[in-house]
């Protein structure tokens, strides 16, 4: 059952989401060739604790780390480790916190130095599809409208849209109803209402949409070992329209990126 949130609850959720956003912004300054993903995990863990919150991923279903870090052909749920990040890699960093009893869950795929043009385009289109989905978070529309918008934008470029992994409702639990697939039919699924809070997270592959689940119970890679991209925002529906709880602005400040992509979805509340 979908748990619609009050404005007061959404204010608390925004605090949680913004702490994740700040964590990703802090990490953006550190992500470069030669570092290890385990180093990033330690930085994030300490940063979250220093801000009075708990890492939402640590111990979740037995997950051993505070971040999911998934390089290149890894789609999601990668374990931080001692392998060195290299020039030309891409790195999906997925972070969650628990603050004031609510979960924030937010991801960004980083370019390490100069990446291949086709990979850079994959990241660009995947992020664009995230905002195409957010545009559909309007009272009276349906979850399938979000899904269809993401799928249509990515498949017109020939990319594979992962089926087995989806976005989700968000609140006091990390995974609540409804599921938010990145593929689907317009006009299908649950009706969108005020107070809905969801994590929209396109997971898009350069090649096939098919993925492989590894024996560690977590790691997911593309079946053809081609790169994958993953971006995630926390979104609420307020007064009939989509409002971002999370933001990439801290990442952009760290990387020197100028963007107004979030402007249509900003609201002080």
């Amino acid at each position: 059952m979908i748990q619609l949130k009050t404005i007061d609850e959404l204010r608390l959720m925004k605090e949680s989401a913004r702490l994740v956003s700040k964590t990703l912004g802090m990490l953006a300054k550190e992500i470069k060739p030669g570092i290890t993903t385990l180093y990033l995990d330690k930085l994030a863990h300490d940063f979250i604790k220093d801000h009075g919150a708990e890492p939402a991923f640590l111990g979740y279903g037995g997950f051993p780390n505070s971040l999911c870090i998934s390089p290149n052909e890894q789609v999601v749920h990668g374990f931080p480790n001692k392998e060195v990040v290299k020039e030309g890699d891409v790195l999906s960093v997925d972070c969650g916190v628990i603050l004031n009893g609510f979960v924030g869950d937010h991801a960004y795929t980083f370019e390490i130095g100069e990446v291949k043009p086709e990979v850079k385009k994959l990241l660009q289109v995947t992020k664009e599809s995230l905002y195409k989905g957010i545009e559909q978070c309007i009272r009276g529309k349906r979850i399938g409208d979000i899904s269809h918008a993401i799928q249509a934008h990515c498949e017109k470029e020939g990319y594979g849209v992962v089926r087995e992994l989806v976005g989700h409702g968000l609140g006091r639990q990390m995974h609540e109803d409804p599921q938010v697939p990145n593929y689907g039919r317009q006009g299908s699924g649950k009706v969108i209402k005020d107070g809905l809070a969801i994590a929209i997270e396109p997971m898009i592959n350069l090649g096939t949409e098919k993925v492989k689940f590894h024996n560690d119970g977590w790691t997911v890679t593309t079946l053809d070992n081609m790169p994958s991209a993953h971006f995630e925002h926390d979104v609420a529906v307020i007064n009939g329209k989509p409002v971002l709880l999370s933001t990439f602005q801290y990442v952009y400040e760290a990387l020197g990126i100028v963007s107004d992509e979030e402007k249509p979805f900003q609201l002080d509340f």
Side-chain angles (χ1 to χ4, degrees):
M1 187 173 68
I2 297 174
Q3 302 287 332
L4 299 176
K5 311 303 190 293
T6 67
I7 286 293
D8 286 343
E9 288 174 323
L10 290 174
R11 288 192 183 105
L12 293 175
M13 290 188 66
K14 185 176 181 179
E15 290 183 23
S16 302
R18 289 304 163 100
L19 178 54
V20 183
S21 302
K22 289 175 183 177
T23 305
L24 291 178
M26 178 273 297
L27 294 171
K29 300 173 185 176
E30 302 290 334
I31 295 175
K32 64 192 75 167
I35 57 96
T36 69
T37 53
L38 204 55
Y39 167 73
L40 299 176
D41 187 67
K42 178 70 163 60
L43 287 177
H45 179 275
D46 292 348
F47 187 86
I48 292 165
K49 297 284 279 188
D50 288 348
H51 285 77
E54 295 295 326
F57 296 172
L58 184 61
Y60 183 86
F63 192 78
N65 297 98
S66 297
L67 295 175
C68 295
I69 304 185
S70 308
N72 301 321
E73 76 279 1
Q74 290 189 19
V75 181
V76 286
H77 302 161
F79 295 116
N81 56 44
K82 294 181 180 179
E83 290 185 20
V84 172
V85 174
K86 303 185 299 298
E87 178 88 13
D89 285 345
V90 292
L91 210 61
S92 162
V93 181
D94 194 353
C95 179
V97 308
I98 304 170
L99 179 66
N100 299 321
F102 287 94
V103 177
D105 181 14
H106 186 32
Y108 191 90
T109 299
F110 293 90
E111 302 175 20
I112 311 301
E114 288 298 318
V115 305
K116 294 179 179 178
E118 62 266 30
V119 177
K120 183 182 285 285
K121 184 180 178 184
L122 169 68
L123 269 58
Q124 174 190 333
V125 172
T126 302
K127 184 150 65 70
E128 288 171 356
S129 78
L130 172 59
Y131 292 102
K132 295 289 186 183
I134 293 170
E135 286 173 358
Q136 299 300 313
C137 290
I138 294 171
R139 183 178 59 218
K141 283 183 171 281
R142 292 180 178 268
I143 296 298
D145 295 316
I146 301 170
S147 307
H148 177 79
I150 293 169
Q151 179 183 14
H153 189 71
C154 294
E155 287 188 346
K156 75 180 181 183
E157 299 292 343
Y159 299 142
V161 179
V162 175
R163 264 58 172 176
E164 293 88 346
L165 302 153
V166 299
H168 50 89
L170 196 66
R172 294 189 181 276
Q173 306 296 321
M174 185 151 52
H175 295 105
E176 297 185 356
D177 287 336
Q179 289 193 346
V180 186
N182 297 307
Y183 66 98
R185 290 184 296 108
Q186 288 177 297
S188 66
K190 299 289 182 66
V191 175
I192 295 170
K193 299 178 180 180
D194 281 333
L196 180 71
I198 54 177
I200 303 176
E201 49 178 324
M203 290 158 273
I204 310 299
N205 302 339
L206 186 60
T208 180
E209 77 275 8
K210 297 185 184 302
V211 298
K212 176 182 178 181
F213 290 83
H214 290 247
N215 291 333
D216 60 23
W218 289 99
T219 307
V220 184
T221 58
T222 58
L223 193 61
D224 56 10
N225 290 319
M226 294 183 73
S228 185
H230 175 215
F231 291 89
E232 179 179 19
H233 264 314
D234 298 343
V235 184
V237 180
I238 300 175
N239 297 328
K241 296 180 180 179
V243 176
L244 281 177
L245 303 177
S246 53
T247 179
F248 289 145
Q249 289 308 312
Y250 299 106
V251 170
Y252 292 164
E253 287 170 13
L255 299 180
I257 295 171
V258 177
S259 171
D260 61 358
E261 66 195 11
E262 297 181 1
K263 191 173 182 179
F265 313 112
Q266 292 173 335
L267 176 71
D268 289 327
F269 68 96

